[in-house]
């Protein structure tokens, strides 16, 4: 019996089979979960294709987390497939690579900053609240970050958004804990995902991890990160909330 046996999980942000979200969905299924996935817009057709590799093929919901109507309709859309949710994976982020990344921090206008914060941080709260009527006691929300406690070259307003995401998770933990709902974040090292490719100079992170990660780091292997997500979705962390769990080969613990 898997650690998610009998649980229903929504994985938001599955785009490509190299993504952390895809691997989390795959492992969640292996561990016994019924999985639903979501995406929106032009990415939705890509999601529909990539989930054909999963067994069973999960339902794909159209969900733009910046669209209030989509969020309001989400509970009914989920109920077409399952009657409740036990977990939510928030793997959603966006910052305009032309204006908000790549060393343009001091020149980025508010509209682009607002978009990054809305999609990458606020959406964890709005999506969680949209799912809240579906949650059972013991439900788990898991988000994804790239260590927002420090600055990174070129990461700029996405770094600010990730710091906001981490804070958002802590406040969700604070306010939803009394209802038995946990909220945690997994902080992954650099992985060869579409999101990383959008960061100007993002490949330079690989050299840093190759040199400094105590356990080493394989930027092509999303499995360790996905396993951490699945573990946090399970009942094996019943008293852990408001936490940032690092899956980065230990680099966060090292100095220069």
């Amino acid at each position: 019996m898997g650690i998610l046996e009998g649980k229903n999980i929504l994985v938001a942000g599955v785009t490509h089979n190299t993504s952390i979200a895809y691997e989390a969905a795959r492992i969640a299924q292996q561990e016994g979960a019924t999985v639903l996935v979501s995406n929106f817009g032009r990415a939705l057709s890509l999601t529909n294709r990539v989930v054909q590799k999963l067994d069973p093929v999960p339902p794909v919901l159209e969900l733009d987390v910046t669209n209030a109507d989509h969020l309001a309709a989400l509970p009914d859309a989920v109920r077409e497939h399952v009657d409740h949710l036990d977990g939510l994976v928030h793997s959603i982020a966006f910052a305009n690579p032309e204006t908000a990344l790549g060393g343009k921090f001091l020149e980025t206008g508010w509209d682009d900053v607002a978009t990054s914060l809305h999609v990458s941080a606020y959406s964890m709260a709005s999506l969680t609240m949209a799912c809240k009527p579906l949650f059972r006691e013991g439900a788990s929300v898991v988000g994804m970050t790239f260590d927002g406690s420090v600055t990174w070259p070129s990461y700029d307003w996405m770094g600010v958004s990730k710091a906001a995401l981490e804070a958002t998770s802590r406040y969700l933990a604070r306010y939803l804990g009394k209802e038995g709902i946990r909220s945690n974040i997994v902080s992954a090292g650099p992985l060869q995902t579409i999101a990383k490719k959008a960061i100007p100079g993002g490949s330079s992170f690989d050299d840093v991890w190759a040199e400094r990660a105590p356990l080493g780091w394989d930027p092509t292997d999303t499995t360790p990160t996905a396993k951490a997500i699945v573990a946090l979705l399970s009942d094996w962390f019943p008293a852990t909330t408001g936490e940032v769990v690092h899956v980065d080969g230990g680099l966060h613990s090292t100095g220069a």
Side-chain angles (χ1 to χ4, degrees), residues 121-139:
Y122 176 75
S123 68
M124 186 173 184
S126 59
L127 180 55
T128 297
M129 293 309 293
C131 291
K132 188 171 175 287
L134 299 162
F135 284 152
R136 287 183 172 179
E137 184 173 356

Side-chain angles (χ1 to χ4, degrees), residues 22-80:
Y22 175 88
E23 186 67 1
R26 187 185 71 82
I27 295 175
Q29 285 186 327
Q30 285 186 344
E31 292 297 324
T34 297
V35 171
L36 296 76
V37 305
S38 73
N39 215 321
F40 80 104
R42 289 180 296 176
L44 193 62
S45 61
L46 181 59
T47 303
N48 275 302
R49 288 198 299 271
V50 76
V51 298
Q52 300 302 312
K53 301 174 183 290
L54 297 173
D55 185 18
V57 176
V60 178
L61 308 181
E62 183 173 11
L63 175 64
D64 176 355
V65 292
T66 68
N67 185 316
D69 291 336
H70 282 207
L71 292 169
L74 181 60
D76 286 340
V78 170
R79 288 189 186 104
E80 291 181 11

Side-chain angles (χ1 to χ4, degrees), residues 101-162:
L101 299 169
K104 305 177 183 72
F105 182 85
L106 299 178
E107 290 81 39
T108 308
W110 168 244
D111 287 347
D112 287 319
V113 172
T115 296
S116 181
L117 289 169
H118 190 174
V119 176
S120 310
Y122 176 75
S123 68
M124 186 173 184
S126 59
L127 180 55
T128 297
M129 293 309 293
C131 291
K132 188 171 175 287
L134 299 162
F135 284 152
R136 287 183 172 179
E137 184 173 356
S140 175
V141 180
V142 183
M144 293 299 309
T145 194
F146 185 71
D147 196 349
S149 67
V150 295
T151 65
W152 297 102
S154 299
Y155 208 43
D156 296 349
W157 285 101
M158 181 55 73
V160 175
S161 298
K162 290 300 187 182

